[in-house]
Each structure stands twice: as structure tokens, then as C-alpha cells.
Amino acid sequence: MNADPSGGRFRASRQHDWERLETLIDRIERGRAPSLSDEDLFELPVLYRATLSSLSVARETSLDVDLVAYLESLATRAYFILYGVQPPLWRRVSGFFAQAWPEAIRRIGRETLVAVLLTMVGAVAAYLLVIRDPAWFYAIVPADLAGGRGPQSSADELRAVLYHSEGALAVFAAMLFTHNSQVSLMCFALGFAFGVPTVLLLLYNGCILGAFLAIYVSKGLGLQLTAWLSIHGTTELFAIALAGAAGLHIGMAVAFPGRSSRGDAAVAAGRTAAIVMLGVVVMLGVAGLLEGVGRQVVQSDVARAAIGGAALLGWLLYFYCLPLRESADG
């Protein structure tokens, strides 16, 4: 240790960062990289750059040679950790599906439950409104999304939507899928506004669902519509709920950052939410396949409900029951 007072101050002001970087590197080198949290991973390059700066200062001011050697060793180890050989693409993809995605979903479990409840509240409220006064349907559902269907439609017209997929009916189904995809992305993107727009979008999307249910139930087609929706809806609506949960996760971090700065909290929450949204895109793709192919091929209500139920069960088992490696929290 250099006895020079300036050297002492130099070490004292930076030693915490060096020790923190060394601790993270030790954990990675011992094969405990999966135990690092998102905050740890975000901190690594920051600490590396700080160590490089310290090394530069130490060399220029001729501080303790042992300190310079220590900083050189630490910077070298950090370099190979950060910029060493990257795992192959297939390993990163498998790691995403085997761990990163379900782990991120589990981190936003509370927000997911809130998103599902908001959708249900919207659906029940709109259902009761439209059942009592069908005119509410036109106030809730945009004309382009209704696709000509409404309280004035006969049972045969509504039934035709459920069992035929040609022409305008196929366009309606595609429009519904497009609408839900847009809602998913907006639920996530608007989360930064303290989650308020996300809450409203989830409520409104539930209202649309409840309004459609009301007009089909009033014509004795409630079960048929449920089966029609379930074949792809269990995946699609689950994806919307997860996107909403991701938006709420960011909104909560911005509104209540805790001990972190609002920006740091938003960045940390955004990393988890971004992983969730990558998976949501996959889910929307699966929903699109089920809607574009499954619903046209499968005409039985029982089979549609069975496929939708199996899809939902599969997602739940995958997200919440799949054994993971050591959690990010150690």
C-alpha cells in the first residue's frame, strides 16, 4: 500500500467498486452465473469501466505497483467475463425457453394476477351492461371490430361466425387477432406512464370480451362462443395478461422505485419485462396458428374447448411448475 495520502484517498474512494466487481467475477468463475440477478448483470460493465478508469489513473500517477498489478488482473478477468467467447445461438435460445422466460414470468406473478382480475372485472361489467341494455354494445365495441355483428344479429348470423371461416368471417377473425396483438404491445409500451394506461387497456379489453359474450348468450350461443374463443383465446388472452403484467411491472417500478433511483428501477424492471414480451410474441404466434388453422379444421365445440383447455394447462405447467436452475436470487 502506498503511504502517499493521495494514494490512500484514491484507494478508499474506489475500493468498494473493485471489491464488488471481484465478488461478481468470483461467483461467475465458480459456475454460479445463474445466481446473478438482473441488477448484478447490469452492474458488471459499469464496474468494469470504473476499474479501467482506476487503472488508468493508477498508472499515470505511479501509485503502488501492487495496486496497479491488482487492478490489471481484475480488469483482465472482467474483460474475459464480459467479452469472452459467447455461447452458441442454440444454447442461448434453449436457455431462454428453459429458464429466462419462465423465470421472468414468475417474477411478475403478482402483476399477472392483477392483470387477469382487471380483465375479468371489465368482462363482467360489460356483460351485465349489455345484457340489461343491448345498446351498450355499440358504445363498447368499435364498429370495425364488431364486423357487422351486434344485438341486432340473428342467432343464425352469429352461429355462422363460429363455424365458417370464409370471406368476411375470416377477415373478422383476423381483425380480432390483430386487435389483441395491438392491445398486448400497447399494454407493455404504456406501462411507463405509472401503469395507468395499462390498467385502462386491460379493463377495456375485458369489456369487449364481456360485450361479445352478452350478445351470444342472449341468443343461446354462449357455450359455442366460449369454445370458439378458447381454441386460441386461452393462449391469446394469457399473452395479453402477461403483456399487461409486464407493463404494470414497469409502472410500479417507476411509481415506487424504493431505494433505487426512478431511472435505475425502471431499467431493472424493463429488463424483466422485455424478456416477458419476447415470450409474449411467441405466444401470439402460437395463438395465430391455432386461430388460422385449428379453428378452421376443428368444428366440434368439445374439441375446440379441449384444445384450448390443454393449451392453457400447458402454459401454466410450463411457466409455474417447470423446474428451473438456481434462481436469480440465489
Side-chain angles (χ1 to χ4, degrees):
M1 178 74 188
N2 197 325
D4 183 353
S6 63
R9 289 196 297 271
F10 173 80
R11 175 189 286 271
S13 63
R14 294 168 173 81
Q15 189 162 6
H16 174 75
D17 289 343
W18 305 338
E19 292 175 350
R20 174 64 176 154
L21 178 60
E22 187 171 15
T23 298
L24 294 177
I25 292 175
D26 285 343
R27 290 169 64 182
I28 295 173
E29 291 178 340
R30 292 172 185 169
R32 297 180 58 199
S35 70
L36 298 181
S37 67
D38 288 346
E39 290 76 11
D40 293 335
L41 296 174
F42 180 74
E43 195 177 13
L44 261 175
V46 177
L47 294 172
Y48 171 63
R49 288 193 293 271
T51 301
L52 286 181
S53 176
S54 298
L55 177 60
S56 176
V57 173
R59 284 171 172 167
E60 291 178 359
T61 56
S62 300
L63 295 174
D64 190 336
V65 292
D66 291 337
L67 177 61
V68 173
Y70 166 74
L71 292 175
E72 288 177 342
S73 174
L74 185 60
T76 302
R77 292 168 64 196
Y79 173 84
F80 282 107
I81 292 292
L82 290 170
Y83 305 108
V85 178
Q86 296 293 323
L89 178 61
W90 68 267
R91 183 174 295 175
R92 281 178 282 169
V93 172
S94 64
F96 173 80
F97 286 105
Q99 181 175 3
W101 187 22
E103 189 173 70
I105 297 260
R106 292 179 195 186
R107 288 181 189 172
I108 62 168
R110 180 181 57 184
E111 291 89 342
T112 302
L113 181 60
V114 171
V116 171
L117 290 176
L118 287 171
T119 303
M120 293 176 64
V121 167
V124 171
Y127 177 86
L128 294 176
L129 284 173
V130 175
I131 281 291
R132 294 175 182 177
D133 182 0
W136 274 101
F137 179 86
Y138 302 105
I140 296 172
V141 182
D144 56 345
L145 186 59
R149 275 140 292 276
Q152 84 288 349
S153 301
S154 67
D156 289 338
E157 290 173 334
L158 295 176
R159 186 180 291 105
V161 176
L162 306 181
Y163 301 104
H164 299 280
S165 58
E166 297 81 10
L169 302 181
V171 173
F172 167 67
M175 187 179 298
L176 188 61
F177 174 75
T178 302
H179 164 79
N180 287 333
S181 300
Q182 291 173 342
V183 169
S184 298
L185 297 176
M186 291 178 65
C187 281
F188 167 69
L190 297 178
F192 286 96
F194 301 101
V196 175
T198 301
V199 170
L200 297 178
L201 275 171
L202 290 169
L203 283 171
Y204 180 60
N205 200 55
C207 287
I208 292 175
L209 179 64
F212 270 112
L213 279 171
I215 65 169
Y216 274 82
V217 169
S218 67
K219 301 297 171 61
L221 296 170
L223 292 178
Q224 291 87 339
L225 176 67
T226 302
W228 183 81
L229 284 173
S230 68
I231 192 170
H232 79 287
T234 53
T235 296
E236 195 168 275
L237 293 175
F238 198 178
I240 293 175
L242 291 175
L248 292 176
H249 185 64
I250 296 174
M252 292 296 292
V254 173
F256 307 102
R259 295 181 179 178
S260 303
S261 69
R262 183 161 280 114
D264 290 343
V267 169
R271 291 175 64 87
T272 298
I275 294 173
V276 172
M277 284 306 296
L278 282 176
V280 165
V281 172
V282 174
M283 292 181 72
L284 291 174
V286 173
L289 288 175
L290 289 173
E291 182 166 5
V293 178
R295 200 165 58 190
Q296 295 183 38
V297 175
V298 181
Q299 295 289 304
S300 165
D301 294 332
V302 174
R304 286 174 169 177
I307 293 173
L312 178 59
L313 179 62
W315 290 119
L316 291 174
L317 291 174
Y318 169 53
F319 289 142
Y320 302 109
C321 298
L322 176 72
L324 302 177
R325 296 194 296 269
E326 189 176 1
S327 70
D329 297 329

